Amino acid sequence: MNTEHTATTGQQPGPDELGVGMRFSIHPHCDDFARVILDSLAEAEAGGLTEHLEITTDEVSTYVGARQAPAEQHLARYLAGVIAAASRHSGGGHIASHVLLSRGCPGEVSCDLSVTGLGQAAPVQVPATGIDAVAHWSLYPLLDGGSEDGDHMPIIENAIACAQQRGTATRSVHYATTLSGDVAEVLTTAVDAWTEVGTAVPHVVSHLTISVGSPTAGRV
Amino acid sequence: MNTEHTATTGQQPGPDELGVGMRFSIHPHCDDFARVILDSLAEAEAGGLTEHLEITTDEVSTYVGARQAPAEQHLARYLAGVIAAASRHSGGGHIASHVLLSRGCPGEVSCDLSVTGLGQAAPVQVPATGIDAVAHWSLYPLLDGGSEDGDHMPIIENAIACAQQRGTATRSVHYATTLSGDVAEVLTTAVDAWTEVGTAVPHVVSHLTISVGSPTAGRV
């Protein structure tokens, strides 16, 4: 890992150096789920949402690496596009998606990144999809014991407070915070928080379980 | 949070004090997904797998708190039972499940646990289900900057090495490790690693995206 882009150089590391990317899976709850998934991925690609992204699918989930700025916005727009397309292609049926956002760990399993004090990234802009979602969101600042002082929980609590101010964080549950709103707003809330924590903590991961069109919506 | 159960007392904190639990969601990819889910949950309950567990479902996922030892085994057996039942009730169709395992953060959003040096938990025993799964597994030791020395990556790498020795960890992908095998073996690998890390790091979270019966299995 090239660590020349430390604070001492005054140069900000690019998305490629930071390993900005995600894994996601999408789950249409219908017999023709394969068609819905393939049509949704094709629609996102036809709409130009895969530009500047490296995408690899295996049998469990899809890796999406963002190599060019604004990396976080490329990821958020692509994912919002795929989820919204899946909702439409399933006729408004129940769609779930699971998302892992990661930054600061470019390697497969090793993480020798010594970058700290990343630049402030601009909030991402994602067009509204017109589709409502509810999500469970968790954020993990992966501090090291030998690092500067810092407690992981105030970082998480601050991110939750920001999400509450946006109006997206509607309630806390065990181990997660519930986000509600347009798919675009749910994703931008999580992506902005993940990026913001990345200005202080190099390795930051966030998970989202997103539900669209659930038949149990409003009943709990 | 009652923190009297520190190492200085010589008394081990119980599962209730440690907030040992999980959230999970299950996604049958079929039109009658609601029936499959409800039948699977009912079967797990009828089989006694919900004993000693606190279970609350909302529209995104289900919280399962384990209040009695062996807490980790109660969680793993319940989840293996639900996933296997869902596979059977869908006629061997495609089932995905997402799991968040958490220990050391009993509260909704706050985490003031000061316990360190948790006792060694015995490996969990889960009967084989006869159903193969492939999963992406991630493990997050939530160290604090002010804590004793320690780097989060060696902890993760050691857990992956253990999973490789078991034969369950088959390859690394970006941000995750692929686990393959019987549903029971995949879950015990992740649960044992999560518990083991908990002997050194109080707050440990792990995520799994589990796939059963994927039509793309073996094609990637």
Side-chain angles (χ1 to χ4, degrees), chain A residues 191-209:
Chain A
V191 169
D192 283 349
W194 166 63
T195 309
E196 170 66 23
V197 174
T199 64
V201 181
H203 190 184
V204 189
V205 178
S206 189
H207 279 258
L208 284 161
T209 297

Side-chain angles (χ1 to χ4, degrees), chain B:
Chain B
M1 171 67 208
N2 179 353
T3 56
E4 69 180 286
H5 296 284
T6 59
T8 56
T9 67
Q11 195 177 354
Q12 291 302 328
D16 201 35
E17 280 100 345
L18 294 174
V20 174
M22 66 181 175
R23 301 198 73 88
F24 80 100
S25 55
I26 190 153
H27 310 291
H29 292 66
C30 55
D31 290 347
D32 60 346
F33 65 92
R35 177 195 60 78
V36 171
I37 294 171
L38 294 174
D39 286 356
S40 304
L41 296 176
E43 183 179 317
E45 186 171 2
L49 297 176
T50 58
E51 286 175 19
H52 313 300
L53 297 174
E54 175 192 340
I55 300 175
T56 310
T57 295
D58 69 20
E59 69 183 283
V60 180
S61 65
T62 294
Y63 164 73
V64 188
R67 302 301 179 198
Q68 293 183 35
E72 296 81 5
Q73 182 160 298
H74 290 147
L75 295 174
R77 288 189 175 200
Y78 174 62
L79 188 56
V82 171
I83 293 173
S87 177
R88 287 192 302 270
H89 286 295
S90 71
H94 180 29
I95 305 290
S97 177
H98 191 77
V99 188
L100 181 171
L101 300 165
S102 182
R103 60 188 303 130
C105 193
E108 295 286 345
V109 295
S110 69
C111 177
D112 55 4
L113 189 68
S114 60
V115 175
T116 57
L118 312 182
Q120 179 74 36
V124 297
Q125 303 292 327
V126 180
T129 64
I131 293 166
D132 284 336
V134 182
H136 284 164
W137 167 53
S138 301
L139 180 66
Y140 307 119
L142 292 159
L143 294 163
D144 286 330
S147 63
E148 294 180 16
D149 62 353
D151 180 337
H152 67 284
M153 286 308 299
I155 297 170
I156 295 171
E157 288 160 12
N158 182 58
I160 293 170
C162 291
Q164 287 169 334
Q165 286 167 8
R166 295 176 79 136
T168 327
T170 49
R171 89 191 158 99
S172 291
V173 294
H174 285 288
Y175 317 137
T177 297
T178 302
L179 303 180
S180 303
D182 189 282
V183 167
E185 183 58 18
V186 165
L187 290 176
T188 55
T189 298
V191 169
D192 282 349
W194 166 64
T195 308
E196 170 66 24
V197 174
T199 62
V201 181
H203 189 184
V204 188
V205 178
S206 188
H207 280 258
L208 284 161
T209 297
I210 301 168
S211 176
V212 170
S214 168
T216 60
R219 287 201 278 142
V220 291

Side-chain angles (χ1 to χ4, degrees), chain A residues 56-147:
Chain A
T56 310
T57 296
D58 69 18
E59 70 183 282
V60 180
S61 67
T62 294
Y63 164 73
V64 188
R67 302 301 177 198
Q68 292 182 37
E72 296 81 6
Q73 182 160 297
H74 291 146
L75 295 174
R77 288 188 175 200
Y78 174 61
L79 187 56
V82 171
I83 293 173
S87 176
R88 288 192 301 271
H89 287 295
S90 71
H94 179 30
I95 305 288
S97 178
H98 191 79
V99 189
L100 181 171
L101 301 164
S102 182
R103 60 187 305 129
C105 194
E108 296 285 346
V109 293
S110 68
C111 178
D112 54 5
L113 190 69
S114 61
V115 176
T116 57
L118 313 181
Q120 179 74 35
V124 298
Q125 303 291 327
V126 180
T129 64
I131 293 166
D132 285 335
V134 183
H136 283 164
W137 167 53
S138 301
L139 180 66
Y140 307 118
L142 291 160
L143 294 164
D144 286 329
S147 64

